[in-house]
Amino acid sequence: MLSRAALPTAVTSFVGRRQEIAGVRRMLQRSRLVTVTGIAGVGKTRVAVRAAQLMRRAFTDGVTYVELSGATTAEAVDEAIAQALGVGAPAESAAHVADRRMLLVLDTCEHVAEACSRLAQALLRAAPGLHILVTSRQALRAPGEHIVIVRPLAVPGPETEPAAVAHVESVALFLDRVAAVDPAFELGPGNAPVVAELCRRIQGIPLAIELTAVRARLLPVARLLQLMDAHGSLGHTGSRARGGRHSTMQAAIAWSHDLCAEEERLLWERLTVFSGSFDLDAAERVCSGADLPGTLVYPTLAALVEKSIVVREHDGRRTVYRMLDGLREYAMGRVPEPEAERLRTRHREHYFAVARRFGVERAGRDRVEEVLRARSDWPNLRAALESYAADPAGRAAGLEMGLRLGYLWVFGGMARYGRQYLDRLLPGTEAPDWIRLGAHLELAHIAIGQGDLPAARRALAGAGEPAARLGTLGGLHLTKMRGTLLFCEGDLEAAERLLRESVDGLAGHGGIHLLNGLIELGFTLLTAGRTEEAERVLTRAARLCGQAGDGCGAAWADLALALLLRRCGRTAEAEGHARAALRTHARVETTFGRAFCVEVLAWLAADRGAHARAARLLSAAHRLWGAEVRPLLGSPHMAAERERYQDELAEALGSQLERVKAAGRALSAEEAIAEALSGEPEESEPRAVPAWAPLTPREADVAGLVAAGLTNRLIAHRLVVARRTVDTHVENILAKLGFSGRSQIAAWVIRRRQREEG
């Protein structure tokens, strides 16, 4: 999950719907809250996403998409939106969008309509530049809401000529989908009347058309129509009149279900146990049985994909599958409760095994990729955790699962969830000492990362008894975490003593506790000013992380080395390490990791004299830390460093400081990270422009285009860069020259050119 959730990419071509899309676009120009409604299977999401894609340029701060089919509570809705916006907690969502011009797309809201209505109203009040586009089978009934109804596609009238029939939207969609499975299919005088009647029977409902079209690979369309008549529910006008289009859609799904082979129906029904997407391994382990052997799951799943029951996607790392809501709802209703309970048990056991494998330490693994994969499995992992937490007999397994997912909590940007489940499962749960100790230490680690040192102390107090019963190794793990806490509290001497004790004792065991201990010992020595010792420790840590394939640990080692090299005056090398660390933290969205990296890169920019850049990044870092994370992990020594830089920047920038800081606060998380990862313009364009000092070469280019009367949008087009980049350059120019408007920039450019010509 990225900090800015991308619009989904359609796996099939878009057919028709010009009027509906145009209607959504017009309504978004008039209203800030637009809801696209219609029956199941009518194509609400396709219309909304297509309209959003076509309106991207109207929203300078982008389009964020949130899929809510898996959210069942108001809290889950808040959390899903916060995660898509890239903020640390739901409480931050309103502040994040307050000064942005952006479009928020909330997809599949009918089952949480009240929660979506409440949140939409709150966000719209906080953000005058925000527009919200909703898809739902029912309106939100919120003040100011405008409705766009998506109706079924037009169906043919009495005409039977192929040319006339082919231009009707429902027929066009049918032909497009048939061509995907049978490229030789052609509409002609012999089959045009049959195709027209088929589209009339299913009343132009897109999903029903798609379910029917995939059958054309095996059956002539005339035979498809005969089967509809034989089935009955799709074949009689009377039944359509009584049940309406909803019953037609349900009948189409039922007909498709009836035409499936027995093993296909079984798998279709069993796949409903998954929340969100799933992979083949999960399908085989959860859905197989005596009546559906594991060896048959893949060919059966492939058959469901061919029939458009299941959608196959590639998320960049692996192939995953998902089922559309209407198809899932239908099949769920056919699963008897005893079978549903059996499936839920197998589901949670499978994802317990996934968590256990994730938590096992072994050399040669790619931890970053594993964290990203676990994030994509989160809806199912969360469902398993909820199941264990609600079952008194399963709480111990749930606590172990929460412990095994520690890397996801700490390095996967999901600390809030980890703390929530550990806090919920630890009290009163009987579990082996190694699980209880690990859970207390993990909870302390999360709390330290959030800067909540009192909570970390409480967690460590609870770790004492199980650590004592576990002997030397348990004591070393507890000692290491106590040293970490002491470092954040500012007691460097005690922190060094405990961290050295744990590192020396764990040297023969290896593992995450040793790696973390080395990195934190390096931080402690560096803060104490003992740079040579710190460099030896951190170099060792980086080497061990490389051997273990621990890219997440390596990112922290890189960040510590950046701070060390900065202390030694080796600014360029320090920036290289800080950027390497930021790239990893940005990939896995570690809240405090990416904030810390941007902060350090701000300090390094100040060391180079790039004061405006430093102030902008420092302001952006303050926002990245978020409301639930204390900046710099609560360390007083790091806080003192920040204060020193803030004083230096205030003196260097004077009256321009607030303007530059405002530009930093306006950056989204991904924009701040992109700017921190980019070098200063002069690094990529080293040509000298002494006559235009203090501007960089790129700023000089922008200033010249401002003088020519171009807007920022046109400048971005001319220079082939993002609009936000030009906005930042203009802010930098104003700050460096002490100007308040574009006309002053133009006058300054004219004077410089006159001087050059003279």
Side-chain angles (χ1 to χ4, degrees):
M1 296 175 232
L2 298 174
S3 61
R4 180 67 55 83
L7 288 168
T9 301
V11 295
T12 54
S13 57
F14 199 90
V15 177
R17 296 301 196 192
R18 291 184 180 179
Q19 291 183 353
E20 290 85 349
I21 293 168
V24 173
R25 296 176 68 184
R26 283 195 305 272
M27 202 61 75
L28 278 171
Q29 293 169 349
R30 301 173 187 170
S31 173
R32 296 174 55 218
L33 176 59
V34 176
T35 298
V36 178
T37 66
I39 64 170
V42 81
K44 299 181 292 295
T45 297
R46 292 292 295 266
V47 168
V49 168
R50 183 62 172 168
Q53 289 170 336
L54 295 173
M55 295 191 73
R56 282 181 182 275
R57 292 187 178 182
F59 298 98
T60 54
D61 291 300
V63 178
T64 295
Y65 173 85
V66 191
E67 206 279 326
L68 292 172
S69 64
T72 56
T73 64
E75 179 188 36
V77 170
D78 290 349
E79 289 178 349
I81 292 173
Q83 191 171 22
L85 291 172
V87 298
E92 299 176 51
S93 295
H96 177 80
V97 300
D99 54 359
R100 303 188 190 283
R101 179 167 176 76
M102 63 180 293
L103 175 63
L104 180 63
V105 182
L106 305 180
D107 189 20
T108 316
C109 299
E110 56 273 357
H111 59 299
V112 282
E114 184 176 345
C116 289
S117 175
R118 174 190 53 76
L119 185 60
Q121 292 177 64
L123 293 177
L124 291 170
R125 282 195 300 268
L130 175 69
H131 287 60
I132 298 179
L133 178 60
V134 174
T135 74
S136 175
R137 296 180 201 171
Q138 65 182 56
L140 300 189
R141 297 184 176 86
E145 178 185 24
H146 283 64
I147 308 298
V148 176
I149 301 174
V150 176
R151 304 187 188 282
L153 297 169
V155 298
E159 65 271 15
T160 58
E161 288 296 320
V165 171
H167 285 90
V168 179
E169 280 190 338
S170 58
V171 176
L173 178 63
F174 179 83
L175 295 176
D176 181 83
R177 300 306 188 251
V178 169
V181 296
D182 183 8
F185 183 89
E186 291 185 2
L187 189 70
N191 60 18
V194 180
V195 170
E197 177 61 18
L198 187 149
C199 289
R200 285 193 291 268
R201 293 281 184 89
I202 53 183
Q203 300 193 52
I205 301 172
L207 180 55
I209 291 172
E210 299 208 17
L211 292 174
T212 304
V214 295
R215 298 287 178 180
R217 181 171 66 88
L218 300 175
L219 299 170
V221 288
R223 179 59 178 153
L224 288 175
L225 195 57
Q226 290 173 358
L227 288 172
M228 282 186 181
D229 287 336
H231 189 273
S233 58
L234 286 173
H236 301 289
T237 304
S239 68
R240 293 202 306 272
R242 288 191 298 271
R245 284 170 171 149
H246 175 73
S247 63
T248 299
M249 183 65 246
Q250 290 297 101
I253 297 174
W255 179 65
S256 187
H257 185 271
D258 290 348
L259 291 178
C260 285
E262 178 61 28
E263 64 271 15
E264 293 169 358
R265 290 195 291 269
L266 275 175
L267 184 58
W268 181 353
E269 293 164 8
R270 291 175 182 178
L271 291 175
T272 61
V273 74
F274 292 105
S275 299
S277 62
F278 55 90
D279 61 14
L280 176 60
D281 180 63
E284 289 176 337
R285 293 179 183 275
V286 175
C287 300
S288 61
D291 47 3
L292 184 64
T295 54
L296 280 183
V297 170
Y298 175 70
T300 306
L301 183 60
L304 292 178
V305 171
E306 288 183 357
K307 293 176 172 64
S308 294
I309 306 300
V310 173
V311 177
R312 180 170 49 212
E313 299 172 334
H314 192 73
D315 65 2
R317 289 172 296 280
R318 57 179 176 155
T319 298
V320 295
Y321 303 85
R322 64 179 176 84
M323 195 182 302
L324 296 177
D325 284 344
L327 301 173
R328 187 170 184 264
E329 289 172 9
Y330 172 83
M332 284 181 72
R334 297 182 59 84
V335 183
E337 182 52 34
E339 172 69 358
E341 182 60 30
R342 186 187 72 84
L343 286 171
R344 287 192 291 268
T345 299
R346 295 191 68 175
H347 176 275
R348 77 178 189 179
E349 289 173 350
H350 170 72
Y351 284 99
F352 176 85
V354 169
R356 176 173 277 178
R357 288 195 299 272
F358 178 77
V360 171
E361 296 185 11
R362 60 180 183 274
R365 68 198 307 177
D366 186 339
R367 270 293 188 185
V368 173
E369 282 301 315
E370 288 189 351
V371 167
L372 293 173
R373 177 167 178 164
R375 282 170 59 87
S376 70
D377 275 336
W378 172 239
N380 287 298
L381 291 168
R382 183 174 188 173
L385 281 166
E386 285 290 338
S387 176
Y388 282 124
D391 177 8
R395 288 177 62 87
L399 185 60
E400 181 181 351
M401 189 173 177
L403 170 61
R404 298 286 193 174
L405 291 172
Y407 248 98
L408 180 63
W409 312 141
V410 177
F411 295 109
M414 303 188 73
R416 181 172 73 256
Y417 298 105
R419 184 169 178 177
Q420 170 188 325
Y421 282 108
L422 291 173
D423 275 336
R424 183 176 168 186
L425 288 162
L426 257 172
T429 298
E430 295 293 330
D433 282 331
W434 70 269
I435 293 178
R436 290 194 60 81
L437 172 62
H440 278 291
L441 296 181
E442 194 63 56
L443 187 56
H445 196 176
I446 293 170
I448 289 170
Q450 294 175 324
D452 189 351
L453 304 188
R457 290 187 209 103
R458 291 193 297 272
L460 291 182
E465 289 186 10
R469 288 192 291 268
L470 287 169
T472 303
L473 190 58
L476 288 171
H477 289 169
L478 177 56
T479 297
K480 180 263 156 196
M481 196 60 71
R482 284 173 172 163
T484 304
L485 177 59
L486 286 167
F487 167 75
C488 290
E489 291 177 332
D491 189 344
L492 298 183
E493 183 178 348
E496 180 190 347
R497 175 173 52 79
L498 293 183
L499 288 169
R500 279 194 185 280
E501 179 183 338
S502 66
V503 165
D504 291 343
L506 293 168
H509 298 277
I512 184 64
H513 292 281
L514 173 62
L515 293 177
N516 286 346
L518 284 168
I519 294 167
E520 290 155 14
L521 177 59
F523 268 111
T524 304
L525 293 169
L526 174 61
T527 306
R530 292 152 62 185
T531 55
E532 291 185 5
E533 292 177 78
E535 186 166 10
R536 287 196 296 272
V537 169
L538 291 172
T539 300
R540 177 187 173 193
R543 184 181 70 253
L544 290 176
C545 287
Q547 292 171 355
D550 188 350
C552 298
W556 282 104
D558 268 321
L559 183 59
L561 285 167
L563 286 166
L564 184 147
L565 293 166
R566 161 184 158 272
R567 180 72 62 85
C568 298
R570 294 153 62 182
T571 304
E573 293 176 70
E575 286 185 325
H577 281 281
R579 289 193 180 111
L582 179 55
R583 289 187 189 96
T584 298
H585 285 303
R587 283 184 69 196
V588 295
E589 295 184 13
T590 316
T591 301
F592 59 91
R594 63 187 188 179
F596 207 158
C597 291
V598 173
E599 177 112 17
V600 170
L601 283 163
W603 296 355
L604 291 165
D607 290 342
R608 289 193 289 101
H611 296 116
R613 174 181 172 85
R616 193 166 54 252
L617 288 178
L618 198 60
S619 180
H622 179 76
R623 188 167 185 171
L624 283 173
W625 282 109
E628 67 168 16
V629 180
R630 285 180 65 192
L632 304 170
L633 313 186
S635 167
H637 297 283
M638 294 290 180
E641 284 283 83
R642 167 185 268 196
E643 289 178 13
R644 179 173 69 81
Y645 278 106
Q646 288 175 330
D647 292 342
E648 177 185 324
L649 294 172
E651 182 177 349
L653 294 173
S655 62
Q656 302 303 313
L657 177 64
E658 288 306 316
R659 178 184 297 169
V660 177
K661 287 169 64 176
R665 286 193 299 271
L667 295 174
S668 67
E670 68 179 9
E671 289 164 345
I673 290 166
E675 178 158 345
L677 288 174
S678 68
E680 283 290 273
E682 54 264 33
E683 294 175 7
S684 59
E685 296 187 42
R687 69 188 194 284
V689 285
W692 291 75
L695 303 188
T696 66
R698 177 58 85 187
E699 288 167 352
D701 293 340
V702 172
L705 294 171
V706 168
L710 274 68
T711 64
N712 285 8
R713 182 178 63 80
L714 292 175
I715 293 171
H717 181 72
R718 179 77 62 86
L719 298 178
V720 197
V721 297
R723 163 69 183 275
R724 176 64 66 179
T725 302
V726 176
D727 293 343
T728 300
H729 284 316
V730 172
E731 287 289 343
N732 289 347
I733 294 166
L734 292 169
K736 287 183 176 182
L737 300 179
F739 294 158
S740 59
R742 300 170 77 89
S743 61
Q744 292 173 292
I745 296 176
W748 184 84
V749 168
I750 292 170
R751 288 197 300 273
R752 285 296 183 275
R753 288 173 176 168
Q754 289 173 343
R755 186 181 304 167
E756 289 177 345
E757 292 170 359

